[in-house]
């Protein structure tokens, strides 16, 4: 996983889901549309809204890196619990959504460090892409090597590519999740495209044509 410091972890581990084993986020329970935390009516309305809008994306991102659905559940619950406990501080941030996304990424990094295991991203992302038959970056496809290269992308470049190409979120949605502008996502993807082309031994024109497909 790409942490706050920009370091990448591209290796997979045994818990990475196969294409058949890829799981979607658990369905909300009848008594709470936003999970156990949102059932607490004392939660700030803004935080509940954040959970509704971005909770699924947080879970998918965590699942890609942890390779375990239950672990992703627990991690995202912990993230929102921590945010709830420090919500006054969160609201003082210049960009709340960007700050919360950073908390998620840092928490995933800490979980992987605590487990002393590399990210499951490479194999998990490959499974997602194969299962959904995504066309994005098709011309750059070189087996699992593409996803290893994505795993090595620095910082927000990694996140922008994961959210748009691997998880398939529209640009505007990815921008909201990350707390940046649409132009910022386009810029991140452009820089990532160059790095992926170099990593895979392709010329930049081929990479640009791949992104435009």
């Amino acid at each position: 996983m790409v942490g706050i410091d920009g370091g990448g972890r591209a290796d997979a581990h045994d818990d990475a889901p196969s294409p058949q084993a890829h799981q979607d986020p658990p369905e909300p329970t009848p008594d709470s549309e936003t999970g156990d935390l949102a059932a607490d009516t004392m939660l700030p309305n803004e935080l509940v809204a954040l959970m509704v809008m971005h909770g699924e994306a947080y879970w998918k991102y965590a699942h890609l890196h942890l390779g375990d659905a239950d672990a992703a559940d627990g991690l995202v619950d912990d993230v929102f619990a921590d945010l709830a406990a420090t919500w006054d501080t969160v609201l003082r941030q210049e960009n709340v959504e960007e700050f919360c996304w950073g908390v998620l990424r840092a928490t995933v990094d800490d979980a992987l460090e605590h487990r002393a295991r590399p990210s499951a991203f490479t194999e998990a992302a490959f499974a997602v892409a194969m299962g959904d038959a995504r066309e994005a970056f098709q011309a750059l496809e070189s087996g699992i090597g593409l996803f290893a290269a994505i795993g090595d992308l620095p910082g927000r470049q990694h996140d922008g590519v994961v959210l748009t190409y691997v998880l398939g979120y529209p640009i505007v949605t990815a921008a909201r999740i990350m707390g940046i502008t649409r132009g910022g996502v386009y810029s991140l993807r452009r820089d990532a495209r160059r790095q992926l082309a170099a990593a895979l031994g392709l010329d930049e024109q081929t990479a640009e044509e791949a992104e435009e497909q």
Side-chain angles (χ1 to χ4, degrees):
M1 207 281 291
V2 181
I4 294 296
D5 60 0
R9 297 193 183 102
D11 296 331
H13 60 65
D14 294 338
D15 288 339
S18 65
Q20 294 79 13
H22 176 67
Q23 295 173 281
D24 291 326
E27 292 294 329
T29 56
D31 57 341
S32 172
E33 294 184 357
T34 55
D36 294 339
L37 284 173
D40 183 351
T41 56
M42 299 303 292
L43 285 179
N45 290 335
E46 300 95 329
L47 178 58
V48 174
L50 183 77
M51 293 167 66
V52 171
M53 289 189 297
H54 302 327
E56 180 179 358
Y58 281 27
W59 183 90
K60 288 182 176 180
Y61 187 91
H63 188 207
L64 278 176
H65 289 287
L66 299 180
D68 182 283
D70 290 337
D73 285 343
L75 184 142
V76 173
D77 281 349
D78 288 345
V79 166
F80 284 119
D82 289 344
L83 291 172
T86 59
W87 192 243
D88 288 342
T89 300
V90 174
L91 288 180
R92 289 197 293 269
Q93 305 304 311
E94 184 175 348
N95 186 317
V96 170
E97 288 183 320
E98 185 177 21
F99 178 82
C100 293
W101 179 251
V103 171
L104 170 74
R105 294 172 64 240
T107 305
V108 170
D109 251 0
D110 289 345
L112 291 171
E113 183 176 354
H114 180 73
R115 292 178 169 204
R117 305 182 73 173
S119 172
F121 172 78
T122 300
E123 289 187 5
F126 186 73
V128 171
M130 293 303 97
D132 292 348
R134 299 208 181 281
E135 296 178 357
F137 264 89
Q138 185 175 9
L140 286 179
E141 179 60 68
S142 62
I144 206 166
L146 169 61
F147 297 98
I150 292 174
D152 280 335
L153 287 171
R156 296 196 300 176
Q157 289 181 27
H158 172 86
D159 294 347
V161 170
V162 168
L163 288 172
T164 58
Y165 286 118
V166 179
L167 295 178
Y169 287 106
I171 293 289
V172 65
T173 304
R176 288 170 181 162
I177 293 167
M178 295 178 66
I180 61 177
T181 65
R182 286 183 292 177
V185 176
Y186 279 117
S187 179
L188 290 171
R189 296 199 321 174
R190 182 174 60 251
D191 293 341
R193 183 189 65 216
R194 296 191 183 109
Q195 293 207 36
L196 289 172
L200 296 172
L202 300 173
D203 62 85
E204 189 174 330
Q205 182 177 353
T206 300
E208 184 174 356
E209 291 172 354
E211 184 176 4
E212 291 174 351
Q213 291 185 3

